[in-house]
Amino acid sequence: MGEFGIGQPVPREEDPYLVRGVGRYVDDVSLVNQARAYVLRSQHSHAKLVSIDVRRARQSPGVLHILTGNDAAVLALGLQEPRLPRKRRDGSPQFATPQPLLARDRVRYIGEPVAMVIAETLSEAKDAAELIEVEYEDLPSVTMLEQAIAPGAPAVWDACRDNFAFFHEAGNKAAAEQAIAKADHVIKHRMVINRLTTASMEARGCLAEYDPRDDRYTLRCTIQGPHQVRRTLAHDVLRVPESKVRVIADNVGGGFGMKGAVYPEYQLTLLAAKLTGRPVKWISDRSEAFLSDEHCRDNVTEAELALDNNGKFLAIRVRNYCNIGAYNAADRSAGPPTNNIGVLAGTYTFPAGYVEVNGTFTNTMLTGPYRGAGRPEAAYVLETLVDLAARKLGIDRAELRRRNMIPKEAMPFKTALVYTYDCGDFGKNLSDCLTLADYAGFEARRKESAKHGKLRGLGVSSTVEASNAGLIEHSELRFDQSGALTVAMGTHDHGQGHGTAYRQIIADKLGIPPDRVRFQYGDTDQIAIGTGTFGSRSMSCGGTALLLAADKIIAKGKKLAAHALEAAEHDIEFARGKFTVAGTDKTIDLPEIARRSFNHKALPAGMDAGMFESGTYDGGERTYPNGCHIVEVEIDEGTGAVELVRYAAVDDVGHMINPMLVEGQLHGGIAMGVGQALIENIVYQGDQIVTGSFMDYGMPRADNFCQFVAGENEVPTKLNPLGVKGAGESGTVGALPAVMNAVNDALTRIGAPYVQMPATSEKVWRAIEAARKA
């Protein structure tokens, strides 16, 4: 469809109504006779729950109900458990700890739900919560990962004295050990990957209803995968058929992985709606979000890179301790550090690699996926080692990467760690980005910065990541009697621009203009099945499902067109929205065929009326987006302030459905990587969390960034018919190591010690002062 087809930079269709403020978020919806819920949370990191007295609170004005952990109705609900079998280091099963919806005998982290108050208004619910008398008995706690792994550390769980929930390994341990033992050089480095929170624009929230006539629940909430949430609620929690649960997610103000979880508040509001006979709404405020949204990252990693005298990589060995928080209650905490280990092989020809992961309990909020979900952390570890190796061996950092890079001709390439890349031209990414960034001119810019009292550093990253695959995705195409089309998708659009991209696929495939296409998503009653949006999967999985449905529409359309045009079906050709009898000018367009399909008299014998088709895709195989990012920073020697001054990136996300949307995704991903590298940090002091608002947590702003200069290197994959690889997380994967490499490059030039993320002004200033004293 020309200007609206695949490959065109079309603006997102949802932007105008969102900018005008007419989006529909959870808190925009209010129901008749709606009640409000408020959650009372633990103020202790670890304590025995001696007693809860709610008698005074029940008498408070407006109170409808109060739920506590030992209520029979709460105990009757099921709990989530890890589904994937994992082991501890000794081979015994992982230490799984289903989390009670409300604390029963102990609290294990600050912010853990203790009681839920349901009242006529939010103010009345809060007032009543202040009257709940809770007696705690403090217990030893451990909030920092380094403390939790120390010998003799306080145990989060009495039956798990070492605090290790699970152990995971990948690669060839013996081969890696042998290569490291024989290497001319071994680079060793310990890295602390800090804890973050998502800080999404829209805080979490939900609105629950119960229909006693149908014994059916409806939950409207801020989530990324309605069908997955319905499945968990129905099977694990409520123990009812999925048809008894409806989940709706309209506009969602940022998800980034965090909104994929089925949180206690969602389950409790459903119960509260049933018990009170009224709709119940719960909306988190910002301070509550800092306590109760899943946190993310938080690793301590010990890594080794082995090289020969020519700078050839021989092996990588990594030991990772990952903080999963206080509960091992699902597979979400274990996913990021175990699912994407293959990123540690990067774009390089490692003969050997070995990684071990130690899932560790602490008295903190649970961790889960966040943009990249293990990929940025792995890329940071690898690219940091490469830069350290370049300095030690005296080899230019770009040249060291080039010497070890997997050549395009070697594809498909089986790496030493899990992945087999089907395609990619990593060398072109590097060379194109070096040109785009004017790598050769850096030394002159560094000298100019020095004249103004600034340290200038440059960081390079050459990274690869993997999209999620192997999970079912679904599409439905439904024409109405006017010939207009509804596209219903199992993926969820919470800012990615799916409504635009899927319309482009339809325009290209079926020739239907965008104004004749209605896009529908986010309601389990409107589309049968689906998985959701995360892991850069939507275009490869959802787009393929859409093509499968479109092919069925074309096939049925050919039968109808043959009947209408009085021709043999094999003589019917379809292109640009029209069916044509080959070699003639006899045509009929698809909307007209759709209209005719509702007229029984116009149908061939035995054909069902209507044009309704679906496509279901098994999720296929992983794809491997990749890229090269080059960053320059300036550091004020007097204050330690870090300024991002140049940013260039060349990414290969496969065939781009919409280059404008791809660039937007890359920009957003870069911003999140920069935020973690320089500013963002969840901080615990003793047993208390001190980052409880945006006054304490450093969210990046527009003035923290420079212009991003983006290039592309399209190498379409053959693993799906669209040739797409995914773009949602590439920016974060490339940015995190590139920015940290740039900061430490500047500091290394004056002999300053390595700075761990986030590279705040204070940390950098202290490193500069240490160099001066030395």
Side-chain angles (χ1 to χ4, degrees), residues 27 55 80 91 123 132 150 194 262 267 401 417 425 498 514 535 542 605 644 706 727:
D27 208 17
R55 287 174 295 181
Q80 299 175 71
S123 294
I132 298 176
N194 57 316
V262 184
Q267 303 165 58
R401 287 172 168 84
L417 290 170
D425 191 346
H498 292 176
L644 203 69
C706 61

Side-chain angles (χ1 to χ4, degrees), residues 407-437:
K408 179 181 180 181
E409 298 74 25
M411 298 295 177
F413 185 86
K414 177 71 176 73
T415 74
L417 290 170
V418 186
Y419 295 157
T420 298
Y421 305 144
D422 64 299
C423 66
D425 191 346
F426 307 146
K428 188 174 188 301
N429 293 344
L430 177 61
S431 60
D432 286 357
C433 199
L434 291 172
T435 301
L436 196 65

Side-chain angles (χ1 to χ4, degrees), residues 260-276:
V262 184
Y263 288 88
E265 298 89 355
Y266 305 161
Q267 303 165 58
L268 292 168
T269 52
L270 287 172
L271 175 61
K274 183 175 183 178
L275 294 175
T276 62

Side-chain angles (χ1 to χ4, degrees), residues 429-570:
N429 293 344
L430 177 61
S431 60
D432 286 357
C433 199
L434 291 172
T435 301
L436 196 65
D438 185 23
Y439 184 76
F442 169 71
E443 188 58 29
R445 293 190 294 275
R446 187 189 67 78
K447 291 178 179 178
E448 184 62 27
S449 295
K451 294 178 182 178
H452 303 282
K454 301 289 182 71
L455 304 174
R456 196 177 189 109
L458 182 145
V460 180
S461 69
S462 174
T463 59
V464 66
E465 57 128 333
S467 67
N468 280 80
L471 299 171
I472 195 170
E473 205 46 79
H474 188 69
S475 170
E476 296 174 9
L477 300 181
R478 305 191 292 261
F479 281 92
D480 61 31
Q481 294 185 59
S482 72
L485 175 63
T486 294
V487 176
M489 300 296 302
T491 59
H492 189 277
D493 185 348
H494 43 276
Q496 291 82 2
H498 292 176
T500 302
Y502 287 143
R503 283 182 172 95
Q504 288 180 260
I505 293 172
I506 288 297
D508 215 72
K509 183 74 174 180
L510 297 181
I512 307 293
D515 60 356
R516 299 286 289 175
V517 178
R518 178 172 179 262
F519 175 52
Q520 193 171 54
Y521 68 98
D523 186 340
T524 59
D525 271 10
Q526 300 300 320
I527 183 166
I529 54 176
T531 294
T533 296
F534 53 88
S536 304
R537 69 181 297 275
S538 293
M539 281 304 113
S540 59
C541 299
T544 298
L546 185 56
L547 288 181
L548 294 173
D551 284 338
K552 293 179 183 179
I553 289 288
I554 294 170
K556 184 171 184 177
K558 284 185 176 181
K559 289 182 171 66
L560 278 164
H563 184 71
L565 299 174
E566 299 179 337
E569 185 180 337
H570 64 265

Side-chain angles (χ1 to χ4, degrees), residues 319-342:
R319 174 176 293 156
N320 189 25
Y321 297 93
C322 61
N323 190 342
I324 67 170
Y327 291 91
N328 182 21
D331 294 305
R332 291 182 58 78
S333 296
T338 62
N339 291 345
N340 296 296
I341 282 175

Side-chain angles (χ1 to χ4, degrees), residues 4 16 18 45 49 115 121 156 192 264 292 294 373 381 487 555 582 628 633 636:
F4 204 85
L18 291 177
S45 288
L49 197 57
T121 69
V156 178
V192 177
S292 64
E294 279 180 344
V381 169
V487 176
C628 179
V633 299
D636 188 301

